[in-house]
Amino acid sequence: MMRVLVAYASERGGTAEIAEWVGAELRRTGAEADVRPAGEVTTLDGYDAVVVGGALYAGRWHREARRFVRHHAGALAQRPVWLFSSGPLDHTAEEKEIAPVRGVAKFAHRVGARGHATFGGRLDPGAKGFMASKVAKQSAGDYRDRDHVAEWAAGIARELQQVTA
Ligand SMILES: Cc1cc2nc3c(=O)[nH]c(=O)nc-3n(C[C@H](O)[C@H](O)[C@H](O)COP(=O)(O)O)c2cc1C
């Protein structure tokens, strides 16, 4: 059985839940999936594949996601890896494929990621913080689409089955 780590970096919980959806879909297809905050992972030993997800803030991946990839770059390069980002507070992520932001594209290249997806984000109307409350006034809402996430994760599961076949 493949053991997959889904590591995420989330400020307000939206990306954490997407990571859980990815994990649930991987388990449904027969893999073993651990879903954990990126900052808590100390080693990739024992994992056959890794999915790394980060929230987007001001055009960048969440700091913990960046730190995770930098720290584990060597181990990631030796495994099948997929990345995802969560951000857009509108329907664009469902309408078209959104390319990774520059920093994430560089990470993808560095670890030889097999794929990247951008999923819609979520922001509570009552979000706290100077910038967040400003953004929330314009764009609060939940633009995540569980079916889209599950479809993407099912693609990962299919590729993993080929790796082990
Ligand atoms: C201050 C602020 C800046 C943001 N900047 C971006 C951005 O540059 N690109 C983007 O796609 N989404 C941006 N977002 C939307 C977040 O990525 C979205 O709310 C996401 O779901 C947050 O994930 P989290 O709940 O895991 O923290 C921003 C949100 C806030 C509050």
Side-chain angles (χ1 to χ4, degrees), residues 9-16 55-60 86-89 121-123 131-132 135:
S10 175
E11 199 65 32
R12 297 183 168 80
T15 310
L56 291 172
Y57 282 95
R60 300 180 79 184
S86 169
L89 296 170
R122 176 189 73 178
L123 189 62
M131 282 310 291
V135 175

Side-chain angles (χ1 to χ4, degrees), residues 3-7 34-36 41 43-44 47 49-52 68:
R3 225 180 134 210
V4 186
L5 171 67
V6 184
D34 285 350
V35 181
R36 299 175 60 195
V41 177
T43 177
L44 303 188
Y47 291 110
V50 182
V51 179
V52 191
F68 177 88

Side-chain angles (χ1 to χ4, degrees), residues 1 18 21 25 32 51 68 71 87 92 94 108 119-121 128:
M1 190 190 269
I18 292 175
W21 296 342
E25 181 63 23
E32 197 180 308
V51 179
F68 177 88
H71 189 79
T92 49
E94 303 316 316
F119 299 121
K128 299 268 184 296

